[in-house]
Structures are given as C-alpha cells and as structure tokens.
Amino acid sequence: MFLEHATRRLHITGVTAHPTRDWAVQQARNLTADLAIRIESLRFLLRDRDGKYGEAFDAVFRAEEMEIINSAPQAPRMNAHCERIVGSIRREALDHILIMNEAHARHVLAAYERHYNEHRPHQARNQLPPDAPEQLVVAHDLNTHTVLRTRILGGLVNEYRYAA
C-alpha cells in the first residue's frame, strides 16, 4: 500500500499472505509503472524499517530520483497518514468481511481503493476525494434533487450522488 501525502491518493499494489523482499520490490516496480509521468512530482518515500524493504526496494525509487526516508523505530506517528488509512481500511471494510482467499482480498481492497480515491471526502482536501479536481463545492437544495445511493462491498460503504 502506498499513499500520496499531498493528494491522499491511495495505491494498493498487491495482496499476499507472505510478503517477501522480492514481492515488495515487485510492488514498487508496479507502482512506478502505474504512476508513469506523475511520479516526477513525488520527491520523497517515507517508509518504515520492516525487513521486507531492502536495498533493491529503495533502488526502484532512487532510480526515479526520490529521497528515501526511514521512519524512526517504534514511532507510528511519524507516518500518521499511512497508519490512519490502514485503520480506516480495517474499520470500514476488513473488520466486517470474512476474507476467503487472496483473490477475494484483492477484490475487496480494489473496491475500497476506488471508493477512497473517487468518492470518500478528505478534510485535508476541503472535503474532496483525491481524484476530484480542486473546485468549490456547490450546495444543492435537497428538496429539488433526488439523492441516489450506491452500495459498495454489499452495503458496508455507501456512496451518494444526485440523480441526473
């Protein structure tokens, strides 16, 4: 899982029950390929000191001219944004679903990632989701518009929008 600090955009690159160094390096490569030219705007990678992040993992990001910053030992507040999203994923989705296998976990996390990036409001972004353009929010009269609800993950998460 990767989180862009400025936009709060979430990237869930893979799922495995047994992450290894090689797996983590592949996830780093997948992210850099997915971001393509957008990666040029990223300057730092803040990561914890887990053993699965080795020199090869760091090399993927150094090749993109990013500075690697290791968090202090036993300092979860140093990477508070990532700690918060992990907690949100657990509270809003994973605590309520019995995950059957890796494919099911991928499906659940992909649905949550779409919701998080396209619909979930973020206080740091003036209540806009990460993929929304910066714009003023227009208040609507609820008496003249019909509100539609879309259930995500069987109704664990709901998205609301005005009918066209």
Side-chain angles (χ1 to χ4, degrees):
M1 178 191 80
F2 297 89
L3 184 70
E4 294 180 42
H5 183 269
T7 63
R8 300 298 197 268
R9 187 154 194 349
L10 175 65
H11 304 275
I12 298 176
T13 56
V15 175
T16 183
H18 306 288
T20 63
R21 279 187 178 203
D22 292 337
W23 181 84
V25 170
Q26 187 58 51
Q27 301 317 303
R29 288 183 187 131
N30 293 350
L31 177 69
T32 58
D34 289 347
L35 289 176
I37 197 158
R38 282 190 50 230
I39 200 159
E40 294 174 5
S41 67
L42 306 177
R43 300 179 315 182
F44 303 99
L45 173 74
L46 174 62
R47 67 168 182 81
D48 62 23
R49 296 172 178 268
D50 193 310
K52 69 180 167 274
Y53 307 120
E55 186 56 40
F57 180 87
D58 291 347
V60 172
F61 294 104
R62 283 196 185 103
E64 300 294 336
E65 299 179 359
M66 293 175 67
E67 182 181 343
I68 310 300
I69 301 171
N70 293 333
S71 63
Q74 299 179 354
R77 289 187 179 162
M78 189 169 178
N79 200 355
H81 297 291
C82 281
E83 296 292 333
R84 173 64 190 244
I85 184 58
V86 168
S88 293
I89 292 170
R90 285 183 180 160
R91 282 186 305 278
E92 295 175 19
L94 298 180
D95 284 352
H96 304 282
I97 298 174
L98 178 61
I99 302 295
M100 303 303 288
N101 53 37
E102 286 184 17
H104 186 219
R106 271 188 219 97
H107 171 74
V108 168
L109 291 172
Y112 188 85
E113 178 183 8
R114 272 190 309 279
H115 164 72
Y116 187 89
N117 289 330
E118 297 173 8
H119 298 280
R120 191 172 190 270
H122 294 272
Q123 189 173 17
R125 292 187 33 81
N126 197 25
Q127 300 304 335
L128 294 172
D131 286 349
E134 294 289 337
Q135 62 187 10
L136 295 175
V137 177
V138 178
H140 295 280
D141 182 7
L142 294 179
N143 296 324
T144 61
H145 291 86
T146 303
V147 177
L148 300 177
R149 175 178 66 172
T150 303
R151 294 174 185 222
I152 308 299
L153 296 173
L156 281 177
V157 177
N158 293 294
E159 297 173 354
Y160 299 91
R161 69 184 190 293
Y162 290 108

